[in-house]
Amino acid sequence: MTNLPSLEVCLSPALLHLYDTKDTVVVIIDVFRATSTIAAALDNGARCVVPVASVEECISLKDKLDNCITAGERDGKVAPGLQYGNSPLEYPTSFIQHKTLALTTTNGTKLLHMVSDADSIITGSFLNMDAVCAYLIRQNKKVLLACSAWKDRVNIEDSLFAGAVAEKIKEHFTMECDSARMARELYLQSQQYPSILEFVKDSNHYRRLSGFGLQKDLQYCTTPNLHPVVPIYNGKELVVAS
C-alpha cells in the first residue's frame, strides 16, 4: 500500500497554496459549468479550447486565432463582448467541429491558470468521469483533485465530483487527506438519491443558475459519461489527451 501514489482534494482555489503540485496530475473541476463545456466541446470536435483568465483577453483572441469562437460568463451570464456562453449545450458537433473555443469563466479558467508546476493538468466533470478515472489510474502518479468552487467558497457539485473520483479509484491511491475523505463521504451520501441532480438541487450554485433558466444545463452537467474524453492542458490550450 505504501508504494501507491497519493490522492488529495483541494476544495477551493483559496486553499491551493497549501498543496504541492510538483510531479502531480492536477484535475481542474468546475461542474457548473466550465469543465463540462470543455469536455462537450472537445468531444464534439472542437480543435482545441483556449482557457483565458479575462474577458478582455478572450475578446482579443477572436481576430488572433483561426476560426475562433469567443465564449464565457461572469456570475453565470454571458459576459458582454463575447459571442457565446458557458453552456455545454451550445456546442454540438454541427457548430463546434474544427473550431477553436476561447473560453473565460468566473471560476474554472481562473483556477487552471493558478496551477504552475504540475506534471500535467486535465479537466474533469461528470460528463467525462470514467475517462478521467481511467486516465489517473494509467498515469500512476500523485493526484490533486482541485475544485473551482464559487468565488473561493466551497460548493457541493465540485466537491461531489471529487468524491466520486476518489471513491472510484481508491484502490489505486493512498488517501490520507481529510478533504478527500470528506468528499468521498459526500459522494456516498449522494448515492441514496435518485440522481446527482436531485442531490445538488438545494445548493447555492444550482439555485443561482436555475434562476437564470439554466435547468437544462444543470441536468446535462450532472449526467455521467456523455463525453468520454480527457482534456489536457499543454500550457496554451486544452486538447484531447491521446
Side-chain angles (χ1 to χ4, degrees):
M1 294 293 290
T2 55
N3 292 327
L4 295 176
S6 67
L7 182 148
E8 297 180 313
V9 173
C10 176
L11 294 173
S12 164
L15 301 172
L16 183 65
H17 68 283
L18 301 175
Y19 295 85
D20 180 8
T21 57
K22 186 178 181 182
D23 301 321
T24 301
V25 180
V26 177
V27 184
I28 304 296
I29 303 164
D30 187 359
V31 171
F32 294 157
R33 296 167 288 164
T35 57
S36 298
T37 296
I38 290 165
L42 288 176
D43 191 40
N44 288 337
R47 189 188 72 78
C48 67
V49 177
V50 180
V52 184
S54 73
V55 173
E56 292 75 21
E57 183 183 358
C58 192
I59 293 170
S60 74
L61 292 179
K62 177 71 175 87
D63 298 321
K64 294 179 182 178
L65 300 178
D66 185 47
N67 209 9
C68 178
I69 295 165
T70 61
E73 53 75 31
R74 286 297 181 269
D75 296 331
K77 300 178 182 179
V78 180
L82 299 178
Q83 297 170 290
Y84 296 92
N86 180 32
S87 165
L89 295 173
E90 289 184 85
Y91 304 105
T93 299
S94 58
F95 173 62
I96 197 62
Q97 192 168 34
H98 307 310
K99 293 185 175 72
T100 294
L101 179 64
L103 181 68
T104 182
T105 68
T106 305
N107 305 293
T109 55
K110 168 193 167 185
L111 176 58
L112 191 150
H113 287 290
M114 290 172 64
V115 179
S116 59
D117 60 351
D119 178 85
S120 59
I121 301 173
I122 65 172
T123 63
S125 66
F126 287 106
L127 294 177
N128 65 335
M129 177 170 60
D130 284 357
V132 166
C133 289
Y135 179 88
L136 295 175
I137 292 170
R138 288 197 307 271
Q139 295 304 301
N140 193 34
K141 295 176 181 176
K142 178 185 170 188
V143 168
L144 177 65
L145 304 175
C147 301
S148 296
W150 172 255
K151 296 184 176 180
D152 289 342
R153 296 186 178 190
V154 173
N155 67 25
I156 286 179
E157 68 275 7
D158 293 348
S159 304
L160 183 64
F161 176 76
V165 172
E167 173 64 19
K168 289 175 181 297
I169 65 178
K170 62 184 178 183
E171 295 179 1
H172 301 271
F173 294 85
T174 59
M175 298 184 199
E176 298 177 355
C177 166
D178 282 357
S179 295
R181 181 179 176 183
M182 291 163 59
R184 277 183 59 207
E185 291 293 337
L186 184 70
Y187 172 70
L188 292 173
Q189 181 184 349
S190 77
Q191 296 302 285
Q192 301 171 28
Y193 286 70
S195 65
I196 296 167
L197 185 68
E198 287 299 319
F199 185 71
V200 302
K201 269 189 172 179
D202 287 334
S203 68
N204 285 334
H205 209 173
Y206 181 93
R207 292 198 299 268
R208 184 182 303 110
L209 293 175
S210 62
F212 300 143
L214 296 172
Q215 287 89 343
K216 287 184 178 179
D217 271 18
L218 301 172
Q219 181 174 9
Y220 195 85
C221 290
T222 52
T223 306
N225 302 315
L226 291 178
H227 296 291
V229 295
V230 178
I232 188 166
Y233 186 56
N234 62 17
K236 179 181 178 182
E237 58 197 22
L238 288 149
V239 297
V240 177
S242 57

